[in-house]
Amino acid sequence: MGQLRELSYDAEDCIEIFMQNLDNQDSYGTMWKAFHGLITLWKRHSIADEIAVLKQRAEEIHSRSKRFEFNMTSPSTSTSTTNAMSIDPRLPALFEEADRLVGVEASKDEIVKWLTQDIKKWKVISVAGSGGLGKTTLANLVYKEIKSLFDCTAFVSVSQNPDTNKILKDILLQVLETSSHASADQRKLKQTIKSKLGLGPIQDLTLICMIREFLKNCRYLILIDDIWSKDAWEAMKYAFPENDYTSGIMITTRINDVAKHCCFPQEKYAYFMKPLTSVDSKRLFFKKLFFSEEECSQDLKEVAGEILKKCDGLPLAIINIASLLATKAASRQEWKRVLESFSSPLNQDYEVDVVKRAISVSYYDLPHHLKICLLYLSVYPEDHIIDIEQLIWRWIAEGFIIGQHGQNLDEVGERYFNELVNRNMIQLVEADITGRGISCRVHDIMLEILISLSSEENFVTIVNSKKLTSSTSKTRRLSLQGNCEENQAWLGIGNFSHARSLNVFGDCMQLPPLKGLQTLRVLDLLDHSYSREDNGHIENIVSLLQLRYLYVCRQITKVPREIQKLQLLQTLDLSRTYVTELPATIVQLKQLVRLFVPGEVKFPSGIGTMRALQELWALNCRSNSVNIVVELGNLVKLKKLAIVWDFNEESLENYKKSFVSSLSKLVGSSLECLSISSSMPCRQTDWLLNSWCPPPRNLNYLNMGDWFSIKIDRLIPSFSSLVFLSIKVVHMVGREYLQPLKELPVLVHLILQVGCPSSEELFYPVKVYTKAFTISNDGFESLKRFDFIMPIIYDPIRTNHMGWHVEIQTRLCGPLMFEEGAVRKLQLLKIECPGGYMLSLEGVGSDLGIHHIKSLQHLEVSLLCSGMWACEVDPVEAAIRNAATLIPNHPKLEIKRIGEEDKKQNVEVGENIFERIARGRTKEHKLIPKQVRRWSFN
């Protein structure tokens, strides 16, 4: 089989190179064609000789297979089809319920108690167990439940070959991102750290010092997943100061000694997981297949018992085999066949071997097109978060996706991906509210199996600082992971010229030569640590004539002029480069489907001739001429478009007419996703939505950015296909203000931001709306997620002694209020607003009618507490918590206080926020944070 596989690779390479050498002569004259025929004559002879050799190899393999009577068919015949149009809708709810069914609730409660019970003790909790027991699942449940209690949090994975520098940097970035501190000192420190991070590589010791400095006065929670050695823990543990704020660290590991070594202050804080009991195993198994055991017939229950005995209480094995059976007919014969293919486990590494055998059964049951797509995931490092859309387009570039009957390749690829998720071969990390996947990962045990299979089949060659996986002299796909220079062996890999994919992950400084890679289809240099010479190095890309997918970043500042040579290129991603202008020759890429560039890039004339473009992200109108905006309307196949609209009022008129005309053409044809952003205040943009003619037919995603003030009552009602809408409004007034949005029949996700008035309007007194803004029980029939955002206003004139603009707690609309029976399908509600917004005039906290949302599953509230006293925030939080307890679904609740330093301050309870402001009274020493704040309510 290996020889046949190599033969198929070589035959395909031979055909592609032959077609490449022929070139397209249609546009040349007779004399040029004759001359070209002469100069390529030797190439034709060379190709003919190679074909003869390939034919001889094929005959030898055929005669050998006859002589030994090899069975060339697949080891198992799959009954699966590619009709899985979407991810199984049971999956998100299933995993959450499954966690409860397998008895993790008690384990979770115990670990939560360890992390929160002692007020002033720093702890390290270890969760240990073999692969497939659910360590990460348990730790993640704990992390999600209690992270809102901490000032900052981080979740990182270490893996078997840790990149300590990257891990430390990830921790630092996450604690900065999740920090709820808003004091001047914290802001200054965050700015200092971020500026240092942007200067280039930082030594481990420096990162440790930066993390310690930031965390020393914080209550923090850090989850470090999959530690394999004591050394890995020792290399990073000094980044976490032992402060007196009940901070905690959780680690997961497969090795008991490592668990005991890491836990602190006592060994009792090491939690050792055990396999599921037979009862829990059955409940998990039948939940996956039938929702309950009662729905399973008696003859299948007998076979199920034998299968569960093989799984030996390991959740990953149970879920994987149940996922496989879910694709089969519910018959005793089919289940028996799966049982027979589940070989007896070996004695060595018993638990892991059980899981591997269970996964292998599922892998060999896949049809060929899914096997090859799954095998491709072995190019990614352990614990890598994979962008699903990028993965699908890589599959397309490699030729794994075959469209039929006019099907779009990306849609077929999405079906392939969804079937792998439904079979639990891939873990979904993030999905949107409609259930469509955004990112995914591969379980480490699954990855071990895929790497082993890839090595056997010479599918991928993996190089990192510890190992090199390769089985033949010809490298078909190359994955460079981490500091490869430490393992110079990869430089000796025989023949790079046959590589079809080159992927770089981590700080790999050295690349193989790009020249001569005649069959390269995918080049992903996202994580390559470029040097100053890389602009010259990147010029060699134009010799990769078979290239279909190109992703570069970091120090690249220009695109090669001869980019037009890459006539097969489908994806060009320059979004993370420093490129400021595209060469004129780029418009000759007639097969380019996806183009991603930084927000300030200047486009060349002729962009409108790139008729194959389906995604363009992003075009800055200010950086380009009016002619470019006009040409935009010729890209009638565009499905996704991002526009940056950075204009002031004076120059706006010069572009309005052209912009509206182009958008009208696009929304009347194929446009599905439109994002319009601006870094400048841009008011009175209602002309844009109301000028589109014809109305949008396919538009389902519309993001109008943070700075566009839209009057909702002027939204045209023909936006009937919108699934996602993000807009910003000023002063929501009147019960029917949202009526146009309520009538959108398929709107699933709404982000509504109440905008700040422009700086020239911010003179005092600022009007305060006290009448409730009610969402009634009619409309929003499909809404599942609602984000309501009201920021704190910054006084454009007043500053405090630190030089910061003074913040104002005010109401730009009346209090949001949900009527009984409103938003009947809402699952996720996120509210971010000043704490004062949720206080009545009497200082009583309001729950905004949240208890009326019976379908709610997740509630996130971020209270902006700057300038408020602690006793004023407490009734708001209490009201929200009380309301959540009245909801039948008992939604997951997260409340964050942002900008609060001291939750225990004591102040006069007798006077409320409104009384204090009415008298113009401030108490600087009791405000949170300790800065002068200005209040203005009328």
Side-chain angles (χ1 to χ4, degrees):
M1 287 296 291
Q3 291 179 342
L4 183 61
R5 189 181 305 110
E6 290 298 312
L7 175 63
S8 67
Y9 278 136
D10 291 338
E12 190 174 352
D13 291 348
C14 177
I15 294 170
E16 287 184 349
I17 294 172
F18 175 68
M19 297 302 294
Q20 171 184 309
N21 289 333
L22 277 182
D23 202 356
N24 184 3
Q25 300 300 308
D26 293 342
S27 60
Y28 298 114
T30 304
M31 292 296 294
W32 168 252
K33 290 181 180 179
F35 177 69
H36 186 270
L38 287 174
I39 63 176
T40 58
L41 186 60
W42 70 273
K43 292 183 179 179
R44 295 170 185 262
H45 279 297
S46 177
I47 289 291
D49 292 341
E50 190 171 344
I51 290 174
V53 172
L54 291 172
K55 183 178 179 181
Q56 183 179 356
R57 285 172 58 189
E59 290 173 348
E60 291 176 357
I61 293 173
H62 179 65
S63 63
R64 193 178 300 116
S65 66
K66 273 189 170 183
R67 187 163 61 250
F68 292 100
E69 297 183 348
F70 287 156
N71 181 8
M72 306 300 287
T73 60
S74 174
S76 63
T77 303
S78 174
T79 59
S80 171
T81 67
T82 58
N83 294 329
M85 301 295 290
S86 61
I87 295 173
D88 187 343
R90 297 178 300 169
L91 282 177
L94 171 65
F95 287 134
E96 183 178 354
E97 182 65 18
D99 292 332
R100 298 187 183 122
L101 288 174
V102 298
V104 299
E105 197 68 29
S107 304
K108 183 195 70 174
D109 291 344
E110 184 171 1
I111 297 175
V112 167
K113 185 178 179 182
W114 286 351
L115 285 167
T116 58
Q117 66 179 353
D118 293 328
I119 301 301
K120 291 187 177 181
K121 283 194 176 181
W122 179 84
K123 299 188 196 69
V124 181
I125 309 298
S126 301
V127 180
S130 64
L133 269 179
K135 302 180 299 296
T136 302
T137 300
L138 174 60
N140 193 33
L141 281 173
V142 174
Y143 178 79
K144 287 182 176 180
E145 178 164 317
I146 65 174
K147 66 179 183 179
S148 61
L149 303 177
F150 294 80
D151 298 327
C152 52
T153 58
F155 183 167
V156 294
S157 295
V158 174
S159 76
Q160 199 165 0
N161 301 304
D163 182 344
T164 305
N165 188 272
K166 183 179 184 301
I167 294 167
L168 291 171
K169 190 177 295 184
D170 287 345
I171 292 172
L172 181 56
L173 289 172
Q174 288 187 48
V175 297
L176 290 176
E177 180 68 25
T178 59
S179 173
S180 59
H181 286 274
S183 68
D185 290 342
Q186 286 287 355
R187 285 175 175 170
K188 186 176 180 180
L189 180 58
K190 289 171 76 169
Q191 289 176 350
T192 302
I193 292 175
K194 287 183 177 181
S195 63
K196 289 182 179 179
L197 289 173
L199 295 177
I202 302 177
Q203 297 296 320
D204 292 359
L205 181 59
T206 303
L207 287 170
I208 288 173
C209 293
M210 293 166 79
I211 296 171
R212 286 187 66 88
E213 177 66 18
F214 191 80
L215 295 181
K216 66 181 182 181
N217 294 319
C218 295
R219 186 185 184 196
Y220 60 86
L221 175 64
I222 311 293
L223 172 51
I224 305 175
D225 185 39
D226 202 19
I227 290 183
W228 281 75
S229 67
K230 299 176 184 178
D231 291 342
W233 169 244
E234 292 295 326
M236 66 184 75
K237 75 173 186 179
Y238 296 105
F240 312 116
E242 299 181 23
N243 58 28
D244 294 329
Y245 295 97
T246 327
S247 297
I249 300 170
M250 273 191 297
I251 68 110
T252 69
T253 180
R254 298 187 186 189
I255 305 166
N256 291 350
D257 286 345
V258 173
K260 294 175 182 177
H261 175 80
C262 295
C263 63
F264 181 86
Q266 302 173 21
E267 278 195 10
K268 75 172 186 177
Y269 292 122
Y271 187 89
F272 300 99
M273 298 194 67
K274 298 177 181 178
L276 301 179
T277 64
S278 59
V279 174
D280 286 335
S281 295
K282 283 183 180 180
R283 292 167 67 188
L284 177 59
F285 180 80
F286 288 114
K287 178 70 177 179
K288 174 65 182 173
L289 282 167
F290 303 109
F291 286 113
S292 67
E293 184 176 353
E294 289 72 23
E295 297 182 32
C296 180
S297 61
Q298 187 58 41
D299 59 334
L300 290 182
K301 286 183 180 179
E302 295 175 3
V303 186
E306 298 179 58
I307 292 174
L308 289 173
K309 188 175 180 181
K310 295 283 187 183
C311 292
D312 201 40
L314 299 177
L316 182 61
I318 295 170
I319 290 175
N320 205 276
I321 290 297
S323 298
L324 170 61
L325 293 175
T327 67
K328 308 291 184 185
S331 67
R332 184 181 180 89
Q333 182 180 1
E334 281 289 340
W335 284 31
K336 274 287 188 182
R337 190 185 66 78
V338 172
L339 176 62
E340 289 166 2
S341 63
F342 201 141
S343 304
S344 300
L346 304 176
N347 292 326
Q348 186 177 8
D349 296 327
Y350 175 79
E351 294 84 356
V352 174
D353 189 71
V354 170
V355 177
K356 285 186 176 180
R357 290 180 186 274
I359 292 174
S360 297
V361 171
S362 298
Y363 171 79
Y364 285 114
D365 187 77
L366 292 173
H368 175 74
H369 64 275
L370 291 184
K371 277 183 185 174
I372 196 169
C373 288
L374 181 62
L375 210 56
Y376 188 78
L377 296 175
S378 60
V379 304
Y380 294 100
E382 188 175 352
D383 298 316
H384 187 80
I385 303 300
I386 304 168
D387 183 281
I388 294 170
E389 190 171 20
Q390 290 181 7
L391 172 64
I392 291 172
W393 280 98
R394 280 165 168 255
W395 286 345
I396 293 171
E398 289 272 5
F400 300 158
I401 309 297
I402 301 174
Q404 296 178 349
H405 309 299
Q407 295 174 316
N408 291 327
L409 292 181
D410 55 331
E411 294 176 355
V412 177
E414 187 172 2
R415 289 202 296 271
Y416 287 8
F417 174 83
N418 291 342
E419 184 160 355
L420 290 172
V421 172
N422 290 339
R423 289 168 171 262
N424 277 296
M425 310 300 282
I426 300 175
Q427 295 179 335
L428 204 59
V429 173
E430 183 182 3
D432 62 24
I433 195 65
T434 66
R436 189 174 186 179
I438 297 174
S439 60
C440 66
R441 68 181 293 272
V442 184
H443 193 281
D444 50 2
I445 295 178
M446 171 70 78
L447 186 61
E448 288 177 17
I449 294 173
L450 295 180
I451 290 174
S452 176
L453 291 168
S454 292
S455 179
E456 290 174 9
E457 300 184 11
N458 193 32
F459 190 82
V460 175
T461 298
I462 300 171
V463 184
N464 58 35
S465 59
K466 298 292 180 68
K467 63 183 179 181
L468 166 68
T469 64
S470 181
S471 58
T472 72
S473 59
K474 291 183 179 180
T475 299
R476 301 297 180 181
R477 293 172 187 85
L478 182 61
S479 178
L480 306 180
Q481 302 175 5
N483 298 314
C484 303
E485 292 72 19
E486 296 178 10
N487 180 7
Q488 294 295 326
W490 75 272
L491 293 170
I493 296 177
N495 193 346
F496 283 121
S497 63
H498 295 272
R500 298 179 171 212
S501 177
L502 174 57
N503 310 272
V504 177
F505 304 96
D507 298 326
C508 184
M509 300 293 293
Q510 189 172 359
L511 291 178
L514 296 181
K515 274 189 175 180
L517 301 182
Q518 299 181 71
T519 60
L520 196 71
R521 298 178 174 208
V522 174
L523 179 59
D524 190 338
L525 305 180
L526 172 62
D527 290 335
H528 175 45
S529 299
Y530 292 102
S531 63
R532 293 180 179 178
E533 292 76 26
D534 274 313
N535 272 315
H537 186 68
I538 212 71
E539 294 286 341
N540 294 329
I541 286 178
V542 299
S543 67
L544 309 176
L545 302 186
Q546 293 296 322
L547 199 63
R548 291 158 169 82
Y549 183 100
L550 175 59
Y551 193 169
V552 294
C553 80
R554 302 284 178 92
Q555 302 301 323
I556 300 302
T557 59
K558 62 181 180 179
V559 178
R561 272 197 214 171
E562 296 180 319
I563 190 74
Q564 83 280 1
K565 290 183 177 181
L566 306 181
Q567 283 296 305
L568 300 178
L569 196 62
Q570 298 168 334
T571 296
L572 176 58
D573 197 329
L574 306 169
S575 58
R576 298 192 183 184
T577 66
Y578 296 112
V579 171
T580 57
E581 185 174 359
L582 297 178
T585 52
I586 199 169
V587 302
Q588 299 177 34
L589 297 177
K590 301 305 180 184
Q591 295 193 42
L592 192 65
V593 178
R594 307 167 71 235
L595 177 59
F596 304 91
V597 296
E600 298 292 332
V601 162
K602 183 178 180 180
F603 284 78
S605 297
I607 191 74
T609 64
M610 303 177 70
R611 300 298 178 88
L613 270 182
Q614 296 180 19
E615 298 183 40
L616 178 56
W617 215 271
L619 188 146
N620 191 318
C621 293
R622 188 180 61 177
S623 300
N624 290 277
S625 67
V626 175
N627 293 334
I628 297 297
V629 178
V630 172
E631 287 192 61
L632 184 65
N634 297 329
L635 304 177
V636 293
K637 288 187 178 180
L638 269 185
K639 294 182 178 180
K640 299 179 181 180
L641 173 64
I643 295 291
V644 181
W645 188 253
D646 280 346
F647 285 108
N648 54 37
E649 293 291 338
E650 289 73 25
S651 59
L652 184 62
E653 294 300 327
N654 297 329
Y655 282 79
K656 268 188 180 181
K657 185 176 179 180
S658 300
F659 188 50
V660 169
S661 175
S662 293
L663 279 185
S664 296
K665 293 178 183 178
L666 297 177
V667 299
S669 52
S670 302
L671 197 64
E672 298 175 357
C673 174
L674 176 62
S675 176
I676 306 178
S677 61
S678 174
S679 60
M680 302 172 62
C682 188
R683 302 159 52 213
Q684 300 176 352
T685 55
D686 307 276
W687 55 269
L688 178 60
L689 298 180
N690 290 306
S691 302
W692 287 349
C693 184
R697 296 183 302 178
N698 303 308
L699 195 66
N700 54 52
Y701 178 104
L702 178 59
N703 183 352
M704 296 300 293
D706 289 338
W707 289 104
F708 280 69
S709 301
I710 307 297
K711 293 182 179 179
I712 296 179
D713 58 334
R714 297 185 62 188
L715 280 173
I716 55 178
S718 55
F719 282 54
S720 57
S721 59
L722 278 182
V723 174
F724 172 92
L725 176 62
S726 175
I727 60 173
K728 182 176 181 179
V729 298
V730 176
H731 300 321
M732 295 196 302
V733 181
R735 181 182 178 88
E736 300 305 320
Y737 191 78
L738 295 178
Q739 191 60 38
L741 299 186
K742 290 181 181 180
E743 296 174 359
L744 294 175
V746 293
L747 186 65
V748 174
H749 185 180
L750 173 62
I751 300 177
L752 182 62
Q753 181 171 348
V754 183
C756 301
S758 60
S759 59
E760 61 266 26
E761 293 176 352
L762 245 184
F763 291 103
Y764 303 103
V766 176
K767 187 173 182 179
V768 178
Y769 295 90
T770 57
K771 186 176 180 180
F773 183 83
T774 303
I775 294 182
S776 58
N777 56 13
D778 61 319
F780 290 125
E781 296 297 329
S782 302
L783 196 66
K784 294 183 178 179
R785 174 170 175 172
F786 181 29
D787 295 47
F788 178 75
I789 302 170
M790 178 185 289
I792 286 179
I793 298 176
Y794 288 85
D795 189 325
I797 301 173
R798 300 289 185 117
T799 58
N800 59 23
H801 63 286
M802 297 293 294
W804 298 97
H805 284 282
V806 174
E807 298 169 0
I808 311 166
Q809 291 260 346
T810 189
R811 288 178 179 165
L812 299 176
C813 71
L816 186 68
M817 187 62 63
F818 294 92
E819 278 189 356
E820 186 171 0
V823 287
R824 288 182 287 272
K825 294 184 179 180
L826 194 69
Q827 299 174 6
L828 172 58
L829 175 61
K830 296 184 71 171
I831 298 174
E832 180 179 321
C833 64
Y837 173 74
M838 300 182 69
L839 278 175
S840 69
L841 291 174
E842 293 75 29
V844 179
S846 169
D847 65 4
L848 308 185
I850 292 169
H851 61 281
H852 289 146
I853 310 174
K854 305 301 182 184
S855 58
L856 199 61
Q857 298 177 6
H858 194 163
L859 174 60
E860 294 184 27
V861 180
S862 296
L863 301 174
L864 308 179
C865 305
S866 296
M868 293 189 69
W869 295 355
C871 70
E872 294 165 342
V873 184
D874 291 339
V876 175
E877 181 171 335
I880 295 170
R881 292 191 181 279
N882 291 336
T885 61
L886 301 176
I887 300 174
N889 286 341
H890 301 295
K892 181 181 178 182
L893 176 62
E894 292 185 48
I895 300 178
K896 297 179 182 177
R897 297 187 180 192
I898 300 176
E900 181 185 37
E901 285 186 339
D902 186 1
K903 300 175 182 177
K904 301 298 181 181
Q905 292 183 9
N906 297 313
V907 298
E908 300 93 331
V909 179
E911 63 176 359
N912 63 50
I913 184 173
F914 299 99
E915 292 173 345
R916 192 168 68 250
I917 292 163
R919 299 204 313 272
R921 181 181 173 194
T922 62
K923 292 193 175 183
E924 181 179 344
H925 66 286
K926 291 184 179 178
L927 292 178
I928 306 170
K930 297 175 182 176
Q931 301 180 53
V932 177
R933 301 295 179 193
R934 179 176 175 84
W935 304 75
S936 182
F937 287 74
N938 286 322

